[in-house]
Amino acid sequence: AQSVAQPEDQVNVAEGNPLTVKCTYSVSGNPYLFWYVQYPNRGLQFLLKYITGDNLVKGSYGFEAEFNKSQTSFHLKKPSALVSDSALYFCAVRDPSNTPLVFGKGTRLSVIA
Amino acid sequence: EPEVTQTPSHQVTQMGQEVILRCVPISNHLYFYWYRQILGQKVEFLVSFYNNEISEKSEIFDDQFSVERPDGSNFTLKIRSTKLEDSAMYFCASSVGLSSYNSPLHFGNGTRLTVT
């Protein structure tokens, strides 16, 4: 069965600095990988996905993520953090054999001015 | 931009009572899902629904749970006899196609269920 690990409960970064939110996964086949963001009192919003192709995926709001098959990782990155990026970030993985999307427990990103 | 809407935003119920959580998915979407998040824990899959039937369900989705699409627009989750451990945020989601391929899930804002 597939699983996702987000090793950090909380990430703090200063505004303007680069940010990384970590995610590792486990699936039996080639993974479909996603990042979602949750702002307070809102549902999860899709940020980006990796299905196939280039390992570096670009998404909404200047975020990108790098798929690393050997390390089974899909870390979320942004070159310059904004205070408005402060939110809860979820990594998710799906096994292509039609199993449901499985989420990590989330990482709270706090960007400090 | 079309949204998934969920009502109510917060539901308080007593243990043993039935609750119905309501969702209106995006109108041209074909797949519907319920997920839940117990406070501080993972977002957990409950059930997926397509073509008026359950396509997949998790171990959490036992006989106490049921889903229905009664009128072509609403998608409901019913818990027949709530337990304290059912307290969680319940998210409805929909997608045009299966969530793996060019069709990410669109989530509602959630219903916070509190069982006392």
Side-chain angles (χ1 to χ4, degrees):
Chain A
Q2 68 267 35
S3 65
V4 177
Q6 293 182 244
E8 304 151 317
D9 291 334
Q10 173 96 30
V11 169
N12 297 319
V13 64
E15 187 176 30
N17 282 3
L19 69 87
T20 298
V21 182
K22 295 179 181 177
C23 171
T24 58
Y25 65 88
S26 174
V27 296
S28 56
N30 292 321
Y32 295 157
L33 294 155
F34 301 80
W35 276 101
Y36 285 80
V37 60
Q38 186 182 28
Y39 297 101
N41 301 314
R42 300 296 303 273
L44 283 71
Q45 296 178 33
F46 169 74
L47 270 182
L48 51 78
K49 66 182 178 185
Y50 171 82
I51 304 297
T52 186
D54 288 341
N55 290 344
L56 186 64
V57 178
K58 294 189 184 298
S60 306
Y61 313 121
F63 283 93
E64 57 190 28
E66 186 166 14
F67 171 61
N68 187 318
K69 189 172 183 178
S70 63
Q71 297 185 1
T72 62
S73 67
F74 189 57
H75 301 331
L76 181 70
K77 300 181 180 185
K78 187 173 182 181
S80 178
L82 300 172
V83 171
S84 57
D85 292 330
S86 298
L88 194 54
Y89 289 82
F90 291 93
C91 182
V93 67
R94 186 173 183 189
D95 185 301
S97 62
N98 281 351
T99 53
L101 200 57
V102 171
F103 286 87
K105 64 178 174 61
T107 298
R108 186 165 299 282
L109 173 68
S110 180
V111 181
I112 303 156
Chain B
E1 185 177 326
E3 291 185 341
V4 175
T5 57
Q6 289 186 246
T7 55
S9 57
H10 192 188
Q11 173 88 46
V12 181
T13 189
Q14 289 188 326
M15 193 168 52
Q17 295 297 305
E18 175 184 284
V19 293
I20 298 176
L21 309 183
R22 301 182 192 278
C23 169
V24 178
I26 295 173
S27 61
N28 64 333
H29 285 188
L30 302 176
Y31 293 82
F32 314 113
Y33 310 84
W34 284 100
Y35 283 79
R36 78 173 186 189
Q37 184 182 28
I38 295 171
L39 187 62
Q41 298 187 26
K42 289 184 179 184
V43 176
E44 302 172 295
F45 169 76
L46 294 178
V47 65
S48 59
F49 191 86
Y50 170 71
N51 199 26
N52 285 320
E53 60 182 27
I54 290 173
S55 49
E56 195 148 8
K57 60 182 180 179
S58 71
E59 294 174 352
I60 302 167
F61 195 88
D62 61 20
D63 292 344
Q64 291 300 311
F65 291 87
S66 62
V67 288
E68 195 176 33
R69 189 161 162 78
D71 57 12
S73 60
N74 291 286
F75 179 52
T76 62
L77 174 69
K78 182 192 291 186
I79 309 175
R80 288 189 183 81
S81 177
T82 51
K83 304 185 285 285
L84 293 176
E85 54 265 38
D86 292 329
S87 296
M89 181 73 91
Y90 287 80
F91 292 106
C92 173
S94 67
S95 69
V96 172
L98 288 174
S99 65
S100 62
Y101 222 72
N102 292 328
S103 55
L105 272 62
H106 294 255
F107 284 85
N109 288 341
T111 293
R112 182 169 295 285
L113 177 64
T114 302
V115 182
T116 61

